[in-house]
Amino acid sequence: MMKVIFSILLFLNSFIYAQKRIVDALSEFNYSQLKSKFDDYYDNDKVSESKIIAQYYLQKAKKEKNNLEIAEGYILIHFNEDFPTALKYIDSLEIITKNIKGSLYPTRTYLMKGNLYFKYDYLKKALDNYIIALQYAKDQNDQKQIAYANINIAYLNNYLGKYAEAAKIFRNYLYNPNNITNESQHNQIRVSLINCYIELNKLDSANILIKEGQTSAFTGKSKYSVNQYLYFSGYSNLKQKKYTIAINELVKTYIFFSSINDNNANYALYSLGKCYDGLNNKEKAVEYFVKLDSNIQKTDITFPELREVYTYLIDYYKEKNDKEKQLYYIDRFLKVDKKLDEQFQYLSTELPKKYDTPNLLQEKEEIINDLKNRKIILYASIGFLLLVLLLVLYLYYKAKKTAIEHRKIAQELIHSIEKRNSESTTDIKKEIPELPQISEHAETENTITKTAPEEVIQFILKGLETFENKQLFLKNGITLASLAKNIKTNTSYLSETINNHKGKNFTSYLNDLRIDYVLERLVKDKKFRSYKLPAIAEEIGYNNVQAFATAFKKKTGTTPSIYIKEIENQQ
């Protein structure tokens, strides 16, 4: 007896020591790391380890008086508890988050409570909590929690057999996971969509998702998910009447789920019974159905397919003339059917009223607003296009008008040069009409300042005459300084003489000589007209075509291109 007591004490001491070591190790982690570690243990069905982490998380949060993390601790710790205890933790969650600001609560509290009721087959209360959560999420415009509420309500639609409606929601969030950041939740959506596809007999689509799930990294880390996909593979094979393959897969999943007391074990039993019925092995089918009924009595968690199970058992024992068992399963059928009928009736009435109808009204409102917005965008686009069209027409009209003016000026210049040539006159400036120009040195227009001696001015004028007659202005790189050096004077006297006697500054004087020259040469010289504009510019002393075009336009009021084109038209 003493040895037994000693062994028990030794075991308890070892357990306490091991637990203390784990807690000491956890002190190094922050909340995010603890949460991640909890998820790893929970997904791999390590209940005791995940419990220790959840308890440590809650104690740490309470010690630090961090209400938001205390709330998270209550959520973590409730996952591994039975229904009454778990519900108490969710009630504590509701109290601690009462004064927390933001969109997370109370929406999350109602979602958690709804999930808890759903897990333990209290579907009426599950729906009520999901509807409340959805309303809070919409009021806060929290898209992530709206998504979670919609997904949970889709689980209820799935339960009711509204597989097409449920599949629409699951498919939307599976392939547009903007608001689903939780990998476990994403995996569960895929699992639920697989179930819908199998029930809708879309087995190819279901099998694609099964393979996708089996190869995902998340499934590799979770034995639970591995067995979920194995179950649906077996269920799919059952639907395809591949009974032997299905049995092999379903037995494995039953062993796993029953080892952790998970409700999926009951679905595996149901499917195994269906497989053996398909093989006409009624005894084996009954064996699994009887085991299923035994589990249902323990948990009181039902599902619609149970009606089929009990009618099968009743018919089987009727054939065997076993009145006692026939009566027993009739009684079980009536009891389960009553609960299923109550839940089904409530859900089928309240879901459309509380969820489908408001959703349709909201969808209608969104469509109306969308149509209004489209009209506004359409009218704005038409208005914008009209403005653009008017602007283009205005610019086109202005460009045409400018082009006509430029051509007219070009024609007048050509006519003037031809007239002068016909009269054999050598004075270019007298024959070419002077265009109004703005002097760059306004002071020379009103007063003539004279500082250079008269003989110097005459000398400079004689030098400028030579400069013009010999067409030295066509050389590239001429500056005031280089011209002054060539004439043998200084820049001040030269600038003063050009301003006073030519009525313009040096730059205008040089440009006018070059442009007057090119105007006449273009009329006379056909070969010169065939040159490209850069070559013409270089020929008359400009460094680039832009400088030439600017000087030409300033002097004449038209462009070199239009001038050349008009010469060609006339000749």
Side-chain angles (χ1 to χ4, degrees):
M1 182 67 180
M2 288 298 291
K3 284 183 179 179
V4 173
I5 294 170
F6 178 75
S7 298
I8 293 170
L9 289 172
L10 187 63
F11 172 77
L12 287 172
N13 188 52
S14 300
F15 177 77
I16 292 166
Y17 178 71
Q19 192 172 17
K20 187 176 184 301
R21 274 199 316 170
I22 295 172
V23 170
D24 289 341
L26 293 176
S27 62
E28 298 176 9
F29 299 119
N30 59 31
Y31 288 114
S32 179
Q33 291 167 328
L34 287 169
K35 177 74 165 58
S36 178
K37 212 155 187 62
F38 173 86
D39 289 340
D40 287 341
Y41 283 128
Y42 187 80
D43 291 334
N44 285 287
D45 310 303
K46 295 181 179 179
V47 177
S48 59
E49 289 90 341
S50 61
K51 266 188 173 183
I52 292 169
I53 293 171
Q55 287 166 355
Y56 177 80
Y57 193 108
L58 183 59
Q59 288 168 4
K60 175 180 167 70
K62 284 183 174 180
K63 188 177 179 181
E64 295 175 4
K65 296 181 180 179
N66 186 332
N67 285 350
L68 204 57
E69 297 301 345
I70 291 172
E72 196 66 35
Y74 285 137
I75 291 171
L76 295 182
I77 209 166
H78 99 281
F79 284 117
N80 288 312
E81 302 295 339
D82 58 23
F83 177 70
T85 308
L87 191 57
K88 286 178 183 177
Y89 280 119
I90 296 300
D91 289 338
S92 298
L93 171 68
E94 188 173 4
I95 293 165
I96 200 72
T97 58
K98 191 174 182 180
N99 297 318
I100 291 178
K101 293 180 180 179
S103 63
L104 191 60
Y105 295 101
T107 310
R108 197 174 183 207
T109 303
Y110 286 106
L111 284 173
M112 288 294 165
K113 195 175 282 189
N115 289 344
L116 187 61
Y117 282 126
F118 187 93
K119 180 180 178 182
Y120 288 97
D121 203 32
Y122 298 103
L123 302 187
K124 295 180 185 179
K125 290 186 176 180
L127 174 61
D128 291 342
N129 280 278
Y130 289 150
I131 294 297
I132 294 170
L134 181 61
Q135 191 56 55
Y136 273 115
K138 285 181 176 179
D139 291 343
Q140 296 286 347
N141 195 27
D142 188 325
Q143 295 302 317
K144 185 175 180 179
Q145 302 216 79
I146 288 172
Y148 285 139
N150 283 329
I151 290 164
N152 288 329
I153 291 171
Y155 293 145
L156 292 174
N157 269 322
N158 191 22
Y159 174 87
L160 287 173
K162 295 182 177 181
Y163 302 116
E165 291 178 31
K168 183 181 176 183
I169 299 294
F170 295 140
R171 191 165 48 243
N172 176 52
Y173 287 111
L174 182 65
Y175 296 112
N176 301 287
N178 298 333
N179 299 304
I180 307 298
T181 55
N182 187 305
E183 198 175 5
S184 175
Q185 182 75 43
H186 187 265
N187 183 67
Q188 191 55 46
I189 292 168
R190 180 166 49 215
V191 167
S192 300
L193 183 57
I194 290 168
N195 181 68
C196 290
Y197 280 152
I198 292 175
E199 296 297 349
L200 291 167
N201 213 31
K202 294 182 177 180
L203 299 179
D204 290 339
S205 299
N207 290 334
I208 289 169
L209 287 178
I210 289 168
K211 288 177 183 177
E212 183 185 296
Q214 288 174 330
T215 56
S216 74
F218 177 81
T219 304
K221 294 184 289 183
S222 170
K223 288 182 183 177
Y224 190 90
S225 290
V226 169
N227 282 275
Q228 272 188 314
Y229 288 113
L230 186 61
Y231 164 75
F232 279 112
S233 178
Y235 192 36
S236 175
N237 283 318
L238 163 60
K239 289 285 186 178
Q240 296 171 75
K241 299 183 179 180
K242 298 176 182 177
Y243 300 120
T244 306
I245 299 171
I247 288 168
N248 186 42
E249 292 173 324
L250 291 167
V251 166
K252 291 176 183 177
T253 61
Y254 171 69
I255 292 169
F256 172 77
F257 288 126
S258 60
S259 70
I260 60 171
N261 296 319
D262 187 87
N263 193 51
N264 279 318
N266 291 341
Y267 289 103
L269 287 172
Y270 165 76
S271 298
L272 282 165
K274 291 292 289 180
C275 285
Y276 281 108
D277 180 49
L279 293 169
N280 291 317
N281 189 340
K282 289 190 176 183
E283 285 71 22
K284 201 70 175 172
V286 167
E287 180 186 329
Y288 281 108
F289 287 155
V290 168
K291 194 179 288 186
L292 173 58
D293 172 61
S294 177
N295 285 355
I296 296 299
Q297 289 187 67
K298 292 174 187 176
T299 62
D300 198 33
I301 296 175
T302 58
F303 52 94
E305 289 80 3
L306 288 174
R307 288 192 177 99
E308 189 181 341
V309 170
Y310 288 116
T311 53
Y312 188 92
L313 290 170
I314 291 165
D315 290 342
Y316 175 80
Y317 286 113
K318 185 178 181 180
E319 287 177 12
K320 296 289 184 182
N321 201 28
D322 190 333
K323 301 288 185 183
E324 188 177 334
K325 286 190 177 179
Q326 186 182 348
L327 184 62
Y328 171 79
Y329 285 112
I330 288 172
D331 184 57
R332 289 289 300 139
F333 172 81
L334 293 172
K335 188 175 181 180
V336 169
D337 184 65
K338 183 182 178 184
K339 182 179 178 182
L340 287 171
D341 194 51
E342 285 175 358
Q343 295 201 135
F344 191 92
Q345 189 175 357
Y346 182 82
L347 293 177
S348 59
T349 304
E350 296 301 313
L351 254 176
K353 187 165 67 177
K354 293 182 178 179
Y355 180 74
D356 295 342
T357 303
N359 272 6
L360 285 172
L361 290 172
Q362 184 180 347
E363 194 174 334
K364 178 185 174 184
E365 190 67 28
E366 286 172 357
I367 291 169
I368 292 169
N369 290 334
D370 184 52
L371 290 172
K372 284 180 181 177
N373 291 335
R374 286 186 184 183
K375 281 185 180 180
I376 292 168
I377 292 168
L378 177 64
Y379 293 150
S381 300
I382 292 170
F384 176 73
L385 289 173
L386 284 173
L387 286 173
V388 170
L389 181 61
L390 289 171
L391 180 62
V392 169
L393 289 172
Y394 170 74
L395 292 174
Y396 175 77
Y397 169 77
K398 190 176 180 182
K400 290 288 285 183
K401 186 178 178 183
T402 303
I404 291 168
E405 290 173 355
H406 285 179
R407 282 165 51 202
K408 187 177 179 183
I409 292 167
Q411 289 165 5
E412 289 175 354
L413 284 169
I414 296 163
H415 178 71
S416 174
I417 291 168
E418 287 176 340
K419 183 179 178 183
R420 182 202 60 217
N421 289 337
S422 66
E423 293 174 356
S424 302
T425 308
T426 57
D427 190 354
I428 296 173
K429 292 179 186 177
K430 286 182 181 178
E431 299 300 332
I432 297 176
E434 287 292 330
L435 300 170
Q437 298 180 39
I438 300 172
S439 173
E440 294 185 18
H441 292 273
E443 67 274 10
T444 63
E445 294 179 2
N446 299 319
T447 58
I448 298 177
T449 56
K450 188 176 179 182
T451 57
E454 184 62 33
E455 60 272 18
V456 172
I457 292 171
Q458 292 303 318
F459 175 77
I460 292 171
L461 288 172
K462 191 172 182 180
L464 291 175
E465 187 178 353
T466 303
F467 176 72
E468 294 172 14
N469 291 337
K470 290 185 177 182
Q471 297 179 344
L472 298 176
F473 53 80
L474 299 178
K475 289 182 180 180
N476 193 287
I478 296 172
T479 63
L480 183 67
S482 67
L483 183 57
K485 186 178 180 181
N486 184 265
I487 294 175
K488 296 179 181 179
T489 185
N490 61 47
T491 55
S492 298
Y493 286 167
L494 177 59
S495 179
E496 179 189 321
T497 302
I498 291 172
N499 272 278
N500 292 340
H501 290 270
K502 301 295 182 180
K504 58 193 79 172
N505 62 24
F506 171 74
T507 303
S508 296
Y509 168 68
L510 184 63
N511 282 331
D512 286 353
L513 289 173
R514 288 172 173 174
I515 301 306
D516 287 343
Y517 168 82
V518 81
L519 285 169
E520 183 164 355
R521 187 172 172 188
L522 285 169
V523 171
K524 291 180 178 180
D525 192 342
K526 185 176 182 180
K527 185 180 178 182
F528 187 59
R529 284 200 304 274
S530 68
Y531 290 0
K532 299 290 184 183
L533 287 180
I536 294 173
E538 187 178 354
E539 183 84 5
I540 63 173
Y542 287 101
N543 290 323
N544 55 69
V545 71
Q546 287 84 4
F548 165 55
T550 302
F552 192 97
K553 178 79 182 296
K554 185 177 180 183
K555 170 72 176 173
T556 65
T558 188
T559 66
S561 301
I562 291 175
Y563 183 72
I564 293 168
K565 188 175 180 181
E566 287 303 314
I567 294 170
E568 293 295 334
N569 289 340
Q570 290 189 22
Q571 294 187 4

